Amino acid sequence: MAEAEIGVIGLGTMGSNLALNIADNGYHVAVFNRTTSRTREFAETAGPLSDRVTACETLEAFVAAIKPPRPVIIMVKAGEPVDQQIAALRPLMQSNDILIDAGNANFRDTMRRFSELEGSGLTFIGMGVSGGEDGARNGPSIMVGGTEPAWRRVEPVLTAISAKYKGEPCAAWLGENGAGHFVKTIHNGIEYADMQMIAEVYGVMRDHLGMDAPSIAGVFSAWSTGPLDSYLIDITSEVLTAYDPKSGQPIVDVIVDAAGQKGTGRWSVIESQIMGVPATAIEAAVAARSLSAMREQRAVAQARFGLPEQSERREGQAVIEDLEKALLAGKVAAYAQGFAVMAAASDEFGWNLPMAEIARIWRAGCIIRSQFLDEIATAYAERPDTGNLVMTPSFATKIEATDGALRRVVSQAVLNGLPVPALASAVGYFDSYRRARGTANLVQAQRDFFGAHGFERLDEEGEHHGPW
Ligand code: 6PG
């Protein structure tokens, strides 16, 4: 008998935890995994929730277990596996059933899937989910793209399972077709920038100030009660206080310094470039991960060039306060850029993205959750059409209060050969953005010189050429 109200396909960590979260919230959920042993394992671990879980060993049984019209969450590896799963489900599903891709899909794939399913009678939703395993189990941030009527049909269950910020659900409909997955991609791009800047500040403390992991942890822990209060700062201090049971050393000191990446950061940069919106902090963070992966080349280069002597070391609380402010200033630049990219995409794809709402649903559940996002939500609620976050009164004040520290930290790091590409990108971005007369007049002259590309004059209308 069909009694499940919703289905989940893909019982990896995220899928299993989402299914348990759904059951925990009083919904009956049907589950299916391509590997049957995984489905059985999941059923065994469902414990007291098993009354509300129907574990199915075939796709046919899975579809039959859900009451029509069926909402089905697909949580499989992004890319080809999603297409395969949709193809397998299509002949079994009925008109009005809803397919929800909850993976980290490239929004361009999501747009394609929307067109492919058009006219099929099936409804499609592209849903960004953030919060890692814990979020999936206890409340993630949920970013939905699709039609508004489709969202209304799944809204009760999605708001029930989402994280809550002071009682407000962190789940929202953000726009048509690829809107949800696009916003999730930018969330991840910002996540990359946040993480990179934290790592750069850690590098200054470790390699310039000579601090050990527990002392650095103490600094992050103190910051977590100030303006940087966020999940990423919290976990950083936790990570830095963890010891490796094998070597007895702080675990960070035995971890290889080469960062992985699955694609969302890179997609953020690609899309920002396509739209011509600078996202320099995200670019720097993605590039830093790529450089981190070149371990052998880095070792050879260090052997060839050595490392600069650490000179002019400024000690004491003033330096730590500068680092805190520099991180805050860098964060403002990264978020301003991420939101500007979303604003451009909103125009480009006709999504009408609700900026304040996006900031609101990122306040809890997701990886970049923070107090800071509440301030962004307020800034956008007050000025929905703001062109750049840095121009809102509260963020302009924040920049003025932190700008000097950012400059001191970046210049000190540069003088001492410490890589701070994301923080430095924030200085460059801000200095370029706030300068009314830049230097592109020379670039235009060069373009005209070698390619007759023409330029505009300050004192006359029309296109002109130089006397070369
Ligand atoms: C989240 C995370 C999540 C995942 C990323 C990591 O919001 O919950 O961003 O989506 O951890 O895929 O991405 P990288 O492997 O590219 O760092």
Side-chain angles (χ1 to χ4, degrees):
M1 198 185 60
E3 50 182 356
E5 292 148 292
I6 187 165
V8 174
I9 294 185
L11 296 173
T13 318
M14 292 296 285
S16 305
N17 282 354
L18 265 188
L20 292 173
N21 184 357
I22 292 169
D24 230 357
N25 277 282
Y27 290 86
H28 193 130
V29 60
V31 296
F32 172 78
N33 194 76
R34 208 168 39 136
T35 322
T36 307
S37 56
R38 178 69 204 117
T39 312
R40 291 186 188 152
E41 226 172 86
F42 173 80
E44 279 159 25
T45 53
L49 294 172
S50 31
D51 285 358
R52 274 181 245 139
V53 173
T54 304
C56 308
E57 301 200 353
T58 64
L59 210 48
E60 287 76 8
F62 169 79
V63 173
I66 311 166
K67 282 187 277 198
R70 311 171 175 88
V72 169
I73 296 179
I74 303 174
M75 191 47 123
V76 300
K77 197 168 179 300
E80 191 55 32
V82 176
D83 290 312
Q84 287 166 359
Q85 199 55 70
I86 294 173
L89 277 167
R90 262 180 93 155
L92 304 175
M93 296 187 81
Q94 291 168 354
S95 202
N96 281 326
D97 287 351
I98 308 183
L99 289 174
I100 306 167
D101 175 15
N104 267 335
N106 184 317
F107 87 104
R108 291 190 183 271
D109 283 340
T110 304
M111 307 277 266
R112 170 180 55 78
R113 289 174 188 133
F114 267 97
S115 345
E116 285 170 0
L117 285 166
E118 223 167 71
S120 69
L122 295 180
T123 301
F124 191 59
I125 283 180
M127 179 169 101
V129 176
S130 177
E133 345 180 351
D134 185 57
R137 179 66 183 87
N138 299 307
S141 169
I142 297 178
M143 297 147 250
V144 172
T147 65
E148 196 176 0
W151 155 248
R152 295 287 165 223
R153 286 169 54 197
V154 289
E155 186 182 356
V157 58
L158 296 183
T159 49
I161 63 166
S162 74
K164 310 289 176 302
Y165 178 84
K166 298 187 179 161
E168 285 179 47
C170 293
W173 174 65
L174 302 177
E176 300 278 331
N177 49 61
H181 276 143
F182 187 87
V183 171
K184 174 65 187 4
T185 296
I186 300 302
H187 164 283
N188 280 25
I190 294 174
E191 171 186 306
Y192 272 51
D194 250 341
M195 292 166 75
Q196 172 64 22
M197 288 179 184
I198 291 173
E200 290 176 8
V201 164
Y202 154 76
V204 172
M205 288 191 258
R206 185 190 67 181
D207 299 329
H208 183 60
L209 301 178
M211 293 165 67
D212 60 12
S215 323
I216 302 173
V219 173
F220 281 110
S221 158
W223 289 352
S224 73
T225 55
L228 288 172
D229 174 20
S230 61
Y231 171 73
L232 283 170
I233 292 285
D234 284 348
I235 65 162
T236 302
S237 63
E238 210 173 311
V239 158
L240 287 163
T241 41
Y243 280 84
D244 172 32
K246 272 192 201 151
S247 62
Q249 291 183 63
I251 187 83
V252 276
D253 293 339
V254 298
I255 297 178
V256 169
D257 60 327
Q261 48 179 322
K262 293 198 204 78
T264 45
R266 191 182 311 129
W267 300 338
S268 300
V269 175
I270 292 170
E271 296 304 332
S272 71
Q273 292 285 7
I274 291 174
M275 289 182 293
V277 181
T280 58
I282 304 175
E283 279 167 36
V286 173
R289 287 203 193 183
S290 303
L291 258 159
S292 80
M294 301 175 182
R295 277 186 79 222
E296 280 179 27
Q297 289 186 48
R298 288 191 287 117
V300 173
Q302 178 169 336
R304 167 67 183 78
F305 297 108
L307 291 177
E309 283 285 305
Q310 296 302 296
S311 61
E312 301 172 41
R313 188 178 284 126
R314 293 166 62 224
E315 306 266 359
Q317 194 50 29
V319 184
I320 301 295
E321 277 167 24
D322 265 4
L323 288 172
E324 181 182 22
K325 286 186 181 152
L327 203 43
L328 190 57
K331 208 171 154 91
V332 173
Y335 282 69
Q337 293 170 2
F339 274 81
V341 174
M342 289 193 289
S346 183
D347 289 346
E348 174 96 13
F349 300 101
W351 287 327
N352 203 14
L353 291 178
M355 297 304 169
E357 184 73 349
I358 292 170
R360 270 188 220 115
I361 63 168
W362 285 353
R363 289 176 305 180
C366 69
I367 301 297
I368 62 172
R369 60 185 180 260
S370 66
Q371 185 49 39
F372 187 79
L373 276 158
D374 192 41
E375 296 169 46
I376 298 183
T378 307
Y380 271 106
E382 283 166 2
R383 303 216 172 166
D385 297 325
T386 194
N388 190 319
L389 189 64
V390 303
M391 295 309 291
T392 60
S394 55
F395 281 85
T397 309
K398 233 184 248 311
I399 290 207
E400 281 163 346
T402 53
D403 177 66
L406 177 64
R407 284 169 203 285
R408 283 189 293 277
V409 166
V410 169
S411 49
Q412 190 77 8
V414 170
L415 285 172
N416 285 288
L418 297 159
V420 287
L423 289 172
S425 81
V427 178
Y429 175 73
F430 180 60
D431 283 341
S432 305
Y433 188 74
R434 62 98 175 265
R435 184 165 287 270
R437 174 124 176 105
T439 53
N441 49 324
L442 181 60
V443 175
Q444 284 297 79
Q446 291 163 333
R447 290 178 69 240
D448 187 59
F449 188 99
F450 63 67
H453 295 292
F455 52 76
E456 288 179 307
R457 294 179 61 102
L458 289 170
D459 53 359
E460 236 178 81
E461 293 284 302
E463 194 181 76
H464 300 269
H465 293 283
W468 4 92

